[in-house]
Amino acid sequence: MDKVSIGLRGWRFDADVLDANGRVRPLKTMEPDTRQRILVLADRVVDPCDACWLTIGRENPKQCNVAEVIYGEPLGEVVLCSDHEPDFLYWFREAGGDQYAGDTEMQEAFHEWFLDGGRAPEGYAGMEHVDEDPTAVPDAPDRSEAIPGLEEELEQMDESDLESIDMNLDDLDV
């Protein structure tokens, strides 16, 4: 089955998560893990890069780069811009971060390493991504543009709908 990225690179979903119009299928029709990932992604897709936020965001959040990629598990995920993705990949591949694979402690562990001065060496090869326009600087997407159909669905859900899909949105900003 084909895989698709939605909103950010990194997490990939089976293509059938989208309907024929490219909109996210109703949450009720998704497996719980997929549903959780979609909801976390919707929350994080508009966030600044975690590394930018840790270094400059508290004082000047408008200077942060927009998140472009997501790694980790829901509620322990790390979102990064392309400038800081090599730092994460170095930490994960070379500095012991792989011990957090599949663990919601990944975000906290990466943040601690980064705040302690952890960085990839100059010229460290990150991931090679094929972009349609590599010179374009992305703008922060609107949730409805990044994950079409999801915001409308969430607005229409009442408490019984949320209970039927067994989702707690309290920790998310969606």
Side-chain angles (χ1 to χ4, degrees):
M1 173 163 282
D2 290 336
K3 298 282 188 177
V4 295
S5 290
I6 304 170
L8 299 172
R9 290 187 316 263
W11 287 353
R12 301 195 31 89
F13 299 90
D14 289 337
D16 67 356
V17 77
L18 301 175
D19 67 17
N21 297 320
R23 298 172 66 82
V24 173
R25 286 187 301 109
L27 292 172
K28 291 183 216 180
T29 66
M30 296 178 191
E31 293 295 319
D33 181 59
T34 302
R35 186 171 42 237
Q36 182 182 27
R37 284 183 182 272
I38 291 285
L39 290 168
V40 169
L41 183 62
D43 184 45
R44 297 300 309 268
V45 74
V46 296
D47 285 354
C49 165
D50 285 359
C52 289
W53 176 256
L54 292 169
T55 55
I56 61 172
R58 293 179 179 126
E59 290 79 30
N60 199 353
K62 293 183 191 266
Q63 295 296 317
C64 293
N65 291 329
V66 175
E68 298 175 59
V69 64
I70 187 167
Y71 291 106
E73 295 300 317
L75 305 179
E77 71 284 342
V78 177
V79 294
L80 301 153
C81 65
S82 57
D83 291 343
H84 288 112
E85 184 179 20
D87 294 321
F88 176 84
L89 293 173
Y90 177 81
W91 169 77
F92 189 82
R93 295 173 178 163
E94 314 290 336
D98 61 337
Q99 70 180 320
Y100 296 98
D103 191 332
T104 57
E105 299 298 316
M106 177 181 279
Q107 180 187 76
E108 185 178 330
F110 173 73
H111 286 185
E112 286 176 17
W113 177 82
F114 192 83
L115 285 170
D116 286 342
R119 300 293 186 277
E122 189 70 33
Y124 183 78
M127 298 278 279
E128 188 171 323
H129 300 287
V130 178
D131 293 322
E132 291 178 22
D133 186 359
T135 62
V137 177
D139 293 325
D142 178 290
R143 275 190 191 97
S144 63
E145 294 169 354
I147 306 178
L150 182 63
E151 193 163 321
E152 297 93 17
E153 181 182 0
L154 290 173
E155 287 173 0
Q156 294 172 1
M157 293 180 107
D158 61 20
E159 197 63 37
S160 65
D161 291 330
L162 291 173
E163 286 176 17
S164 73
I165 62 169
D166 192 30
M167 291 303 303
N168 180 349
L169 303 179
D170 292 344
D171 292 336
L172 305 177
D173 292 331
V174 292

